Amino acid sequence: MTPTEPQSPTDLPRPRPHGHHSHASSHGHSHGHSHSHGPPTPVSAHLRKVIAAVLIPFAVAVLAGLIVMWPGGAPPHKHSGLGLDQQTRSGRVVKIEEIDCSKAGATPQQQSPQPGGGPPAAQGPCEKSEIEVTSGPDKGRTFTELVQPSASRHYTVGQEVVLAYAPKAPKNLQYAVTDVDRTLPMALLAGLFALAVVVVGRLRGVFALVALVVSFGVLTLFILPAILHGSDPLLVAVVGGSAIMLIALYMCHGLNARTSVAVVGTLTSLMLIGLLGALFTQWAHLTGDTDDQTGLVHGLYPEIEIRGLLLAGIIIGSLGVLDDVTVTQTSAVWELKEADPSASWRKLYGSGMRIGRDHIASVVNTLVMAYAGASLPLMLLFSIADSGIGRVATSEIVAEEIVRTLVGSIGLVASVPVTTALAALVVSADRHNTKTRAKSGPRARGASRGGRRRRAK
C-alpha cells in the first residue's frame, strides 16, 4: 500500500463566493489556519512514489520474514524445577501464628554485628504461616511455611501468593511459597497509565495504546517463541523490531510522508546499531552468558545462540528511544518549513540540528541512567569488593552493559543528523507544495488586506 498524505484543509474544493473580496478573505483565513492546526501538508505525488519505492519493498520483506519464521507458539519442554522454570499454583495465607524459632526447628538467630559495623540481625519470634492451595488438582490442600524474623518478606492473613509445585518431591515438600500475587496493584497501575494516556492524548493516545498492545503481541507471539525454536536471534530481532516500528509509527502518527521519513531514519540507525553491536561483541569476546537466567535458558535450549541473544537485546532495547528521536526531529523540520516556506535545505537542516543537539544531550543521559539503575545491585557488589575501576569496567558482566549502552547511544546520536537531513531534503524537494504556498499565500493575504481596506472605507 503506497503511503499517502491525508488532505489538508487547503486541498479541499470550496464553493465560489459571490464577491472577489469575500473569496480572498475566506481563502486567506483557511490557509493561515492550516499552518497551525490539522494534519501535515501533503507532499507531491512524485515524492510519494519515491518514498513508496523505498518503504514498500522493506515492508514486504518484513512481512515475508514474519511468515517464514513464524514459530506457532513456544516449543514444549519438561520443567526442570530450577529458577523460573518450575510449575506454579495459586495460594492464600489463611493463618499466621508466632512461635519460638528454636521450637520450630529453625536455626536460632544470634545477635552479632554485621560485617562492616552494620546493624545486628533482626531478632524476634518466627511466623508459622498456614497456606492454602487455591488452584490445580490439590485445591484446598494446606501446608505450613516458616518465616524467620530476618526474612525480607513477611505475610498477612488473606494475602494471595504464588506457589512453586514440585510433583516429584515428598508430599510434605511439594509446595513452597515463591512469590506474592501482584495482579491487583499491577492491573490498577496499568489502568491509571492507560487513563492518563487517553485523557491527555485523546484519540492519538488511544492509537498509542493499541500500538503498544500490538508491539507486546509481536514480542510474545513472534520474537520470543522464534528464538526458542532456534531461529537466529539477531535476524528475529531485526524482523520483529521492524514490524513493531512500522506498526507503532504509522498507527500513532498517521500514514504520511512525515512518518515515512521517521521510519527511514529509524531503520538506518538500527542498521548501524546492529553492525556496531556485532563488531564489538565479537571483538570484546562477549559471550552473553553472564547470569543464572541466561545459563538456564541455554541449558534448556542448547540450540539458542547466546551471543545473538545479546545482540537482539541491544536492538530491541534501542528501538523505543530511536522512535522518539526520529519522530521529534521529523516533526521539527516539517514545522520549520511551515513557519518559513522559503527556507532552504541548509537552513532547515541547521535549525533542526540545533533542536536535535538538545534532544541528544537529554536522551543519552536518560539511556545511560536507565542501564545504570537496572545494574545498581551489581555496581554495589563491585563497590563492596573494592575492585579497581579498570577491572570492573572490563569484566564481562559490566562490559556487556557498557557495550549495550554505548552502541545504543551511538545509534541514537547518529539518528539525529540522518533523520534531520532526510526530512529537510524531502520538504525542500517538494516543489509542488512550495509553488502552491507561493501562489496562494501572498495573493490571499494581499486580497484579504484589500478587502479589509474596502470594508473600512
Side-chain angles (χ1 to χ4, degrees):
M1 182 176 181
T2 303
T4 57
E5 291 282 343
Q7 286 186 315
S8 67
T10 56
D11 295 320
L12 299 177
R14 296 183 178 85
R16 181 183 296 274
H18 293 291
H20 175 73
H21 71 276
S22 174
H23 168 78
S25 177
S26 173
H27 185 83
H29 172 76
S30 297
H31 181 79
H33 180 78
S34 67
H35 275 213
S36 56
H37 303 284
T41 306
V43 300
S44 62
H46 174 71
L47 272 179
R48 288 202 299 269
K49 291 179 182 178
V50 172
I51 294 172
V54 174
L55 289 181
I56 287 181
F58 170 66
V60 170
V62 171
L63 180 61
L66 288 173
I67 294 174
V68 171
M69 293 190 293
W70 191 262
H77 77 284
K78 293 182 179 180
H79 291 283
S80 64
L82 301 175
L84 296 175
D85 185 43
Q86 52 190 346
Q87 299 185 50
T88 59
R89 300 286 189 268
S90 299
R92 182 189 301 109
V93 180
V94 294
K95 184 180 178 181
I96 296 178
E97 179 184 356
E98 290 188 354
I99 61 172
D100 190 330
C101 291
S102 59
K103 293 181 179 179
T107 303
Q109 299 287 340
Q110 299 294 330
Q111 185 166 358
S112 57
Q114 298 298 305
Q123 300 295 309
C126 289
E127 295 177 352
K128 183 179 179 182
S129 303
E130 184 175 339
I131 314 294
E132 179 185 4
V133 180
T134 57
S135 67
D138 294 329
K139 183 177 180 180
R141 177 177 164 183
T142 60
F143 66 97
T144 59
E145 185 97 358
L146 190 66
V147 181
Q148 297 203 33
S150 59
S152 58
R153 180 186 297 138
H154 294 262
Y155 308 114
T156 58
V157 175
Q159 185 176 17
E160 302 290 334
V161 293
V162 179
L163 309 178
Y165 174 56
K168 295 182 179 180
K171 189 173 182 179
N172 61 330
L173 299 176
Q174 287 182 333
Y175 288 95
V177 178
T178 185
D179 206 348
V180 298
D181 189 343
R182 302 179 180 89
T183 303
L184 180 59
M186 298 297 288
L188 180 60
L189 181 59
L192 290 174
F193 164 73
L195 180 62
V197 170
V198 172
V199 168
V200 177
R202 298 185 182 180
L203 183 59
R204 183 157 293 187
V206 174
F207 284 130
L209 291 176
V210 173
L212 180 62
V213 172
V214 173
S215 300
F216 187 74
V218 173
L219 179 65
T220 56
L221 298 179
F222 172 72
I223 295 178
L224 299 181
I227 292 175
L228 291 178
H229 275 280
S231 298
D232 182 15
L234 180 58
L235 182 60
V236 170
V238 169
V239 173
S242 298
I244 290 173
M245 173 187 67
L246 291 171
I247 294 170
L249 286 180
Y250 282 118
M251 184 172 290
C252 293
H253 305 286
L255 191 66
N256 51 60
R258 187 165 70 181
T259 307
S260 299
V261 171
V263 168
V264 175
T266 305
L267 175 62
T268 305
S269 302
L270 280 179
M271 291 173 59
L272 176 62
I273 289 173
L275 291 174
L276 289 176
L279 171 63
F280 281 95
T281 53
Q282 178 71 30
W283 195 4
H285 302 285
L286 299 179
T287 63
D289 190 5
T290 55
D291 56 44
D292 294 339
Q293 302 305 326
T294 305
L296 178 59
V297 170
H298 189 52
L300 294 173
Y301 298 94
E303 65 275 9
I304 294 179
E305 212 280 303
I306 299 298
R307 181 176 292 166
L309 198 61
L310 172 61
L311 289 173
I314 293 175
I315 290 176
I316 294 174
S318 304
L319 183 60
V321 186
L322 276 177
D323 288 352
D324 173 42
V325 173
T326 55
V327 168
T328 300
Q329 288 304 114
T330 307
S331 298
V333 173
W334 241 260
E335 293 301 323
L336 288 169
K337 186 65 173 178
E338 287 292 320
D340 185 6
S342 62
S344 64
W345 176 87
R346 187 180 297 275
K347 182 177 180 180
L348 290 173
Y349 178 77
S351 300
M353 281 302 298
R354 283 192 290 274
I355 298 172
R357 291 185 188 103
D358 289 337
H359 205 179
I360 287 174
S362 60
V363 173
V364 166
N365 186 64
T366 301
L367 193 63
V368 172
M369 289 300 101
Y371 282 123
S375 305
L376 196 57
L378 177 64
M379 296 169 67
L380 288 173
L381 286 176
F382 277 109
S383 298
I384 293 171
D386 197 24
S387 301
I389 187 66
R391 178 64 59 84
V392 172
T394 55
S395 63
E396 181 173 4
I397 192 169
V398 176
E400 180 180 303
E401 295 302 322
I402 292 176
V403 169
R404 189 196 309 270
T405 303
L406 296 184
V407 166
S409 298
I410 291 172
L412 186 66
V413 171
S415 70
V416 172
V418 169
T419 307
T420 305
L422 286 173
L425 283 172
V426 169
V427 294
S428 299
D430 189 15
R431 295 183 296 272
H432 170 76
N433 282 331
T434 303
K435 292 178 181 178
T436 301
R437 294 189 194 100
K439 289 179 180 179
S440 64
R443 183 181 302 170
R445 288 191 293 270
S448 178
R449 287 194 295 268
R452 287 195 296 270
R453 284 196 296 270
R454 284 191 292 272
R455 285 194 296 272
K457 292 178 181 179

